[in-house]
Amino acid sequence: EAGVAQSPRYKIIEKRQSVAFWCNPISGHATLYWYQQILGQGPKLLIQFQNNGVVDDSQLPKDRFSAERLKGVDSTLKIQPAKLEDSAVYLCASSLAGSSYEQYFGPGTRLTVT
Amino acid sequence: KNEVEQSPQNLTAQEGEFITINCSYSVGISALHWLQQHPGGGIVSLFMLSSGKKKHGRLIATINIQEKHSSLHITASHPRDSAVYICAVRGDGSARQLTFGSGTQLTVLP
């Protein structure tokens, strides 16, 4: 069974530029999560989707971050414009159906904003 | 105060040593997870606990619900165990999101 796929693996941009990350969850998983992990910290949930609907985006900085999962399968996370403090690893995870099920994590995208 | 506290933050051990990593939490939970993160970012789930004790190979996880505390033990540690170990708790409310500790960086020297 293929795992959670993410791309790119690494990205370096200058502040005020835009960037987009892509995630393809495990086939059949209804729930998709985007986490931000700053160096030395645990992951922080940015947004949770159930199929193509948003379940929780309370910690998403909506002035600059946006995410979509239009067809309920793969998802994109965008930052526009980026700030220095956005430098982090962005992790995507998926689970079968909701938060009570085990989450499977992708390899992450390491973003460096200079 | 963070909802999930791990100790120690960093741990260096010699190969073969018995290792303990601790996790304390301050909220009501429905489950506690131990996760392993290798350099490069990928996270693997090791255990999900709601009570008692679980064992998988050289790894043992315990939880004391009354004391809001969990431990991860590694017996006969090996350099390949070097990784960040993260404790995460699932709330018992309607949201049930995972709240993560900041992780313990383990280095096992040959």
Side-chain angles (χ1 to χ4, degrees):
Chain A
E1 178 185 82
V4 177
Q6 289 188 247
S7 68
R9 292 296 313 278
Y10 304 92
K11 189 75 177 179
I12 301 174
I13 61 172
E14 295 181 351
K15 59 184 179 184
R16 292 187 289 274
Q17 286 187 322
S18 301
V19 65
F21 311 129
W22 175 82
C23 172
N24 192 24
I26 292 173
S27 178
H29 279 195
T31 308
L32 185 148
Y33 311 80
W34 282 104
Y35 292 94
Q36 179 193 58
Q37 186 178 23
I38 292 171
L39 186 65
Q41 299 180 17
K44 180 185 83 171
L45 180 69
L46 292 176
I47 189 167
Q48 176 183 346
F49 290 96
Q50 182 75 13
N51 296 309
N52 61 353
V54 175
V55 173
D56 184 351
D57 64 356
S58 57
Q59 297 193 88
L60 185 74
K62 298 182 186 64
D63 57 333
R64 298 184 300 107
F65 286 64
S66 64
E68 59 184 17
R69 194 185 183 200
L70 293 175
K71 296 183 179 178
V73 181
D74 56 349
S75 175
T76 55
L77 175 70
K78 296 179 182 177
I79 307 175
Q80 179 179 9
K83 293 185 176 181
L84 295 177
E85 59 260 35
D86 299 331
S87 295
V89 174
Y90 290 85
L91 293 161
C92 179
S94 70
S95 66
L96 195 57
S99 304
S100 297
Y101 290 83
E102 183 173 0
Q103 293 183 27
Y104 295 83
F105 288 82
T109 296
R110 183 176 298 276
L111 173 68
T112 302
V113 182
T114 63
Chain B
K1 186 180 188 302
N2 293 331
E3 291 181 346
V4 182
E5 297 272 1
Q6 286 186 237
S7 63
Q9 281 189 303
N10 294 282
L11 180 57
T12 300
Q14 289 295 134
E15 183 173 357
E17 286 185 3
F18 180 83
I19 288 162
T20 296
I21 299 171
N22 296 298
C23 175
S24 296
Y25 53 93
S26 57
V27 296
I29 68 168
S30 58
L32 182 144
H33 298 252
W34 281 104
L35 309 163
Q36 181 190 56
Q37 186 172 31
H38 279 283
I43 292 178
V44 173
S45 178
L46 298 175
F47 295 103
M48 184 173 72
L49 292 164
S50 55
S51 65
K53 176 180 174 179
K54 286 191 175 180
K55 185 176 189 294
H56 185 164
R58 295 180 295 105
L59 302 178
I60 303 166
T62 64
I63 188 168
N64 185 318
I65 298 293
Q66 286 73 30
E67 295 187 1
K68 292 189 164 65
H69 181 270
S70 176
S71 293
L72 176 69
H73 305 286
I74 305 175
T75 62
S77 60
H78 190 276
R80 64 175 174 267
D81 297 326
S82 298
V84 175
Y85 292 84
I86 302 173
C87 170
V89 300
R90 185 184 311 286
D92 59 0
S94 57
R96 297 198 161 218
Q97 304 301 350
L98 283 179
T99 302
F100 295 79
S102 56
T104 295
Q105 173 69 62
L106 172 65
T107 303
V108 182
L109 302 174

